[in-house]
Amino acid sequence: MLSLLFENKHLTIAHHKTDQYLLLAWKGFIPSTEFRSLACEIIKAVEKYKVKKILSDNTEWKIISPNDYSWAASYWFPKAEESGIEEMATVLSRDTFNRLAERTVQGLADVSNMQIKNFESLQEATAWLTDKRTKTILEKTN
């Protein structure tokens, strides 16, 4: 069961009450100041709802600037981990350049225990995030 927490033209944040994760849906090209502000909204939701998992649907997200992905890797990801996030499933963007940025952010993310995994579909990402048996199967095949 999903409960809408936040919505604007670039980001929707919903709380999946049953499986206790945040579902993010990013859209379009997001200016740097707005991106960072939205990223902070996510941290607020993590802390308020005490979730340990995030599913980020980046399918409709356009290019992330290098300054923003450096900021995300060095500031946002450590803050998310500090706030309790243990697992993050990302559905990669359709935009080729954004896919490269997403993978770069993941590689640079300054986290020690958070698991971050990329997927091609929302269905695969959801299965990995919510089903331990699926995680084991997917990790053995990758």
Side-chain angles (χ1 to χ4, degrees):
M1 175 184 220
L2 283 173
S3 174
L4 182 64
L5 305 179
F6 175 90
E7 185 172 36
N8 76 4
K9 68 180 183 175
H10 294 299
L11 177 64
T12 301
I13 304 173
H15 178 227
H16 194 288
K17 292 179 181 183
T18 307
D19 291 318
Q20 283 300 301
Y21 67 85
L22 292 184
L23 174 61
L24 314 177
W26 295 92
K27 299 170 223 101
F29 173 77
I30 306 166
S32 186
T33 54
E34 189 169 356
F35 166 71
R36 293 176 190 209
S37 174
L38 293 171
C40 290
E41 286 295 324
I42 297 165
I43 297 298
K44 287 179 196 173
V46 166
E47 292 172 347
K48 181 175 182 178
Y49 291 92
K50 304 199 181 329
V51 296
K52 299 194 178 302
K53 302 182 269 186
I54 292 176
L55 197 167
S56 185
D57 182 357
N58 300 355
T59 309
E60 299 299 323
W61 196 355
K62 302 299 179 206
I63 297 171
I64 304 168
S65 81
N67 287 338
D68 288 337
Y69 62 76
S70 292
W71 177 86
S74 64
Y75 175 78
W76 188 86
F77 277 91
K79 183 68 176 165
E81 185 176 50
E82 179 185 303
S83 297
I85 296 300
E86 297 173 356
E87 298 173 326
M88 183 165 179
T90 301
V91 181
L92 294 169
S93 174
R94 289 186 187 133
D95 183 278
T96 303
F97 296 109
N98 207 44
R99 283 173 166 260
L100 178 59
E102 289 165 332
R103 288 187 173 116
T104 300
V105 170
Q106 180 181 353
L108 295 173
D110 187 12
V111 293
S112 51
N113 296 312
M114 183 192 307
Q115 284 188 293
I116 307 165
K117 193 153 175 70
N118 295 325
F119 296 91
E120 295 293 328
S121 74
L122 192 58
Q123 187 176 19
E124 284 178 311
T126 304
W128 179 80
L129 200 64
T130 61
D131 185 358
K132 295 293 181 191
R133 289 174 297 143
T134 302
K135 281 184 187 177
T136 304
I137 292 165
L138 285 172
E139 287 169 0
K140 286 180 182 176
T141 61
N142 288 335

